[in-house]
Amino acid sequence: MAATQGLNHSFVSEFILVGFSTFPPHLLPVFFLLFLLMYLFTLLGNLLIMATVWSERSLHTPMYLFLCALSISEIFYTLAVTPRLLADLLSSHHTIAFVACASQMFFFFTCGFTHSFLLTVMGYDRYVAICHPLRYNVLMSPCVCACLVAWSGAGGSVLGLVVTTAIFHLTFCGPNKIQHFVCHVPPVLKLACGTNVPLVALGVGLLCMIVLLGCFLFILLSYTLIVAAILKIPSAEGRHKAFSTCASHLIVVIVHYGFASIIYLKPKKLHSQESSALMAITYTVLTPFLSPIIFSLRNKELKTAMRKTFLSKFYSSSN
């Protein structure tokens, strides 16, 4: 458990992820099967979206480029969390090395921030498409879209590195049991010791709040302007068509920020370890699981392209 103090300024060489170990043992195989199916469906759904957009030339537009980037972000997000969770559900050893814990936190926050940035960019894309349709090809040129995706990934990586470095440069010299199934900031901070822990906790909390709230407010502003523009459309059919292009993105934003607010704004003293673990599943497993479903079911163009691309190939191969 303990190691000589080194570059990471820590006496702890590994942590123990408590996770679902406090649940009755007979429930763990059920959780494993449920989370495995959700994880596989998440991977399959996102890969299917990416393959459809890649193979269908009519979908080579900014909106679907951002959707592909979002799918990649979700694949890496779930890859950082779910395989480890599945392994721990079937194992009696829940230890995770110090470096592995830091790496998991880095990818967790990098993909989380990138996800928020991409949702914001997608909101801006819908705003330009509906409020400035004549300038859309200029404002959302391929170069601009590539830059927006690149900046989203770079921004997420920098913020993930800042958060991870701030946390793991603290001193860990006492207990090493993380009351979670992932190396998340609050339970990891509880294990740190030193006078600067409250300052780091405050700094990380403010950074996350500013970024996520800033993205949310930008999306809210985009949709305020979008709704105002849609209401000016004279025909009901035109209003419905304009809003339908935003529906899937808007639902994903509501799910993303809805579950996040439940997790981070809940009264901490009112929840047990078991209920906290189940609630954390909503943003680590459930939200990525729902996202490809929402985009696939609510987007008529994408559904048509999927049927055209894959069902036609299936029927041709079977004949």
Side-chain angles (χ1 to χ4, degrees):
M1 303 293 183
T4 305
Q5 188 172 7
L7 293 177
N8 53 26
H9 305 289
S10 174
F11 291 101
V12 173
S13 61
E14 62 183 19
F15 295 102
I16 298 174
L17 292 171
V18 175
F20 287 85
S21 61
T22 58
F23 281 74
H26 68 275
L27 290 179
L28 299 186
V30 178
F31 287 148
F32 174 83
L33 181 60
L34 177 63
F35 298 156
L36 176 62
L37 291 175
M38 293 175 71
Y39 176 59
L40 293 177
F41 188 90
T42 301
L43 290 179
L44 179 62
N46 284 301
L47 290 173
L48 187 61
I49 289 174
M50 293 165 59
T52 302
V53 173
W54 177 266
S55 59
E56 186 61 42
R57 291 189 61 85
S58 63
L59 299 182
H60 292 181
T61 61
M63 180 172 69
Y64 294 104
L65 169 65
F66 298 140
L67 182 56
C68 278
L70 194 70
S71 294
I72 294 172
S73 172
E74 286 190 337
I75 288 174
F76 282 107
Y77 180 80
T78 54
L79 193 62
V81 176
T82 311
R84 173 78 205 195
L85 167 62
L86 293 173
D88 285 345
L89 285 171
L90 297 183
S91 173
S92 57
H93 303 286
H94 302 146
T95 58
I96 182 170
F98 186 92
V99 175
C101 189
S103 299
Q104 186 185 61
M105 181 179 289
F106 168 73
F107 285 107
F108 179 82
F109 274 97
T110 293
C111 295
F113 283 127
T114 301
H115 194 86
S116 294
F117 290 147
L118 288 172
L119 287 176
T120 306
V121 168
M122 292 174 77
Y124 173 71
D125 171 71
R126 292 298 84 206
Y127 158 73
V128 175
I130 293 174
C131 299
H132 302 283
L134 299 180
R135 301 174 59 197
Y136 183 79
N137 290 333
V138 176
L139 295 175
M140 301 302 295
S141 65
C143 181
V144 171
C145 295
C147 287
L148 288 173
V149 171
W151 278 109
S152 296
S157 299
V158 170
L159 291 173
L161 183 62
V162 168
V163 171
T164 306
T165 303
I167 298 298
F168 284 92
H169 266 69
L170 293 171
T171 301
F172 296 89
C173 50
N176 68 332
K177 287 188 176 181
I178 298 176
Q179 301 296 322
H180 209 291
F181 57 81
V182 65
C183 291
H184 199 27
V185 170
V188 172
L189 277 175
K190 290 181 180 179
L191 306 181
C193 51
T195 57
N196 58 340
V197 173
L199 183 62
V200 171
L202 178 62
V204 169
L206 285 175
L207 176 63
C208 294
M209 186 177 297
I210 290 171
V211 173
L212 296 179
L213 188 59
C215 290
F216 177 75
L217 291 177
F218 195 92
I219 294 172
L220 187 61
L221 175 62
S222 297
Y223 274 100
T224 301
L225 297 173
I226 287 171
V227 170
I230 289 176
L231 292 177
K232 294 178 182 178
I233 299 175
S235 67
E237 183 181 352
R239 290 194 296 270
H240 179 267
K241 185 177 180 181
F243 185 76
S244 64
T245 64
C246 308
S248 55
H249 172 256
L250 186 58
I251 294 172
V252 168
V253 168
I254 292 172
V255 170
H256 177 75
Y257 281 96
F259 283 135
S261 63
I262 292 173
I263 296 300
Y264 291 107
L265 300 180
K266 67 180 175 65
K268 292 183 172 57
K269 294 183 179 179
L270 299 181
H271 297 278
S272 64
Q273 167 64 24
E274 288 81 3
S275 62
S276 295
L278 288 176
M279 290 182 71
I281 285 294
T282 59
Y283 66 88
T284 54
V285 178
L286 183 59
T287 301
F289 168 76
L290 292 176
S291 184
I293 296 176
I294 294 169
F295 278 113
S296 299
L297 294 180
R298 294 291 307 178
N299 192 302
K300 186 179 293 186
E301 283 186 323
L302 192 59
K303 284 193 295 184
T304 303
M306 284 182 177
R307 286 195 294 265
K308 177 182 175 182
T309 303
F310 295 100
L311 290 184
S312 60
K313 289 182 180 180
F314 174 76
Y315 285 128
S316 63
S317 61
S318 61
N319 293 332

